[in-house]
Amino acid sequence: MSLAQARRGVFRLAELIAPATEIDMYSVEDGTIPGPVTGIPIRTYRPSAGPAPTAVYFHGGGWMTGSIASHDFLVRKFARESGLVFVSVDYRLAPEHPFPAGLDDCLAATAWVAEHIHDYGGLAGQLAVAGDSSGGNLAAVVARRFRDQGRHLSAQLLLYPVIDSAGDYPSRHQNGSGYLLTLDDIATSAQNYVGNRPELLGSADVAPIRATDLSGLAPAVIGVAHHDPLRDEGLAYAYKLAAAGVDVFAENYAGMIHTFASFYAISAGANQALGQLLNEFSHRAHSPPSTRETARDIRNPRR
């Protein structure tokens, strides 16, 4: 399908699978914050009146599709179940804006929220990042770049993330067709993201697993789907984080496919899996660093 069709398809899918009744929030507010080139649209979800830890969220869609509107029903679920304030970022999309445009927007948005945390109902020192699919890729890179800048993040939630576009993993061949996301989708989105610079596919800012040092990163909660071509790279990243001493919770969910979190309203299994991941994420996001112990809980590895 064309890019225009793919972008419309994301909204059509949301119409089909979103809950019939919208999840209520204490407040939902649209705004624009300064960006590296132009203003960045954001949408802030507050589940309650009081201050709470905050998560900056980056939507999926292969770096090419999706928006704060298409993922609204999903972020409402995140905020309601976790008790966190969520700030959803409408970063620039490829191919019109290839790498590093989207990443630059996500970095700028996270830095802005960190510096104005009280304006978003947040708590100082309790800022996390989250993302699904290509948004999980962006969240992983932002987490590493924040560490490199000496800035604190309390947690990172990576849902079926794109971790190694230059890699080749068994799950890509096992699940590369028939399970929503295909090998062609993966290749096309990566090519569009890096534009005419294929050498970037193996860089740490595009393939976060290829970073030379993963120590000191924010605690990670990683959820992968067993029937997802991206499964094995997500698990490989969990193991590499754990080996670097990072607090990791990772689960390989049997029976699930790519983007399973979005199916929470129509699949009991997806809802249960998402609930577990949000519980683990919330626990880390709410815990002051001084009270947190390093844990490595990686369940249901590739099989």
Side-chain angles (χ1 to χ4, degrees):
M1 65 178 69
S2 69
L3 179 60
Q5 289 173 323
R7 287 175 173 170
R8 290 194 298 269
V10 171
F11 284 90
R12 179 58 180 152
L13 179 62
E15 291 175 352
L16 293 171
I17 63 178
T21 302
E22 187 175 76
I23 296 175
D24 287 333
M25 294 282 105
Y26 171 74
S27 68
V28 177
E29 182 177 353
D30 288 343
T32 303
I33 61 176
V37 175
T38 186
I40 305 170
I42 61 168
R43 181 171 293 174
T44 303
Y45 302 79
R46 296 185 63 183
S48 59
T54 302
V56 182
Y57 168 75
F58 315 120
H59 66 80
W63 301 288
M64 301 185 304
T65 70
S67 71
I68 55 177
S70 66
H71 286 64
D72 177 83
F73 77 101
L74 183 58
V75 185
R76 286 174 180 269
K77 175 75 167 179
F78 292 166
R80 174 56 60 199
E81 290 220 1
S82 68
L84 272 66
V85 175
F86 267 78
V87 180
S88 185
V89 180
D90 225 354
Y91 57 88
R92 287 171 290 166
L93 299 177
E96 298 94 333
H97 305 283
F99 177 89
L103 174 60
D104 286 347
D105 285 355
C106 294
L107 286 164
T110 309
W112 176 269
V113 174
E115 293 160 7
H116 301 81
I117 193 73
H118 298 297
D119 295 341
Y120 298 92
L123 295 167
Q126 291 183 276
L127 178 67
V129 290
D132 68 287
S133 194
S134 57
N137 171 281
L138 292 165
V141 175
V142 169
R144 195 194 78 251
R145 294 281 289 270
F146 255 53
R147 179 211 60 186
D148 292 346
Q149 296 168 11
R151 309 183 75 154
H152 171 73
L153 288 175
S154 58
Q156 52 180 317
L157 173 64
L158 313 178
L159 300 177
Y160 29 85
V162 183
I163 290 296
D164 190 6
S165 292
D168 185 27
Y169 297 84
S171 60
R172 291 199 179 189
H173 304 283
Q174 295 166 4
N175 306 314
S177 64
Y179 296 106
L180 188 64
L181 182 68
T182 69
L183 287 177
D184 285 345
D185 295 333
I186 295 171
T188 298
S189 62
Q191 290 166 6
N192 278 285
Y193 184 45
V194 300
N196 60 355
R197 301 174 64 191
E199 70 277 6
L200 290 173
L201 291 174
S203 68
D205 281 348
V206 175
I209 197 171
R210 295 179 182 247
T212 56
D213 180 13
L214 296 176
S215 63
L217 291 181
V221 175
I222 302 174
V224 302
H226 187 66
H227 297 292
D228 184 349
L230 300 179
R231 179 195 69 208
D232 288 348
E233 61 200 81
L235 289 171
Y237 192 55
Y239 281 113
K240 192 169 182 180
L241 288 173
V246 177
D247 170 11
V248 177
F249 173 88
E251 178 87 46
N252 171 18
Y253 290 98
M256 294 292 105
I257 64 172
H258 190 72
T259 202
F260 67 81
S262 296
F263 293 94
Y264 69 84
I266 60 173
S267 165
N271 189 53
Q272 182 177 7
L274 179 57
Q276 181 183 39
L277 291 165
L278 290 175
N279 181 65
E280 295 288 343
F281 180 58
S282 177
H283 171 69
R284 288 161 174 80
H286 279 88
S287 299
S290 60
T291 65
R292 187 182 298 123
E293 296 181 358
T294 298
R296 299 171 185 84
D297 188 359
I298 302 173
R299 308 181 184 189
N300 301 322
R302 61 175 71 87
R303 58 176 182 258

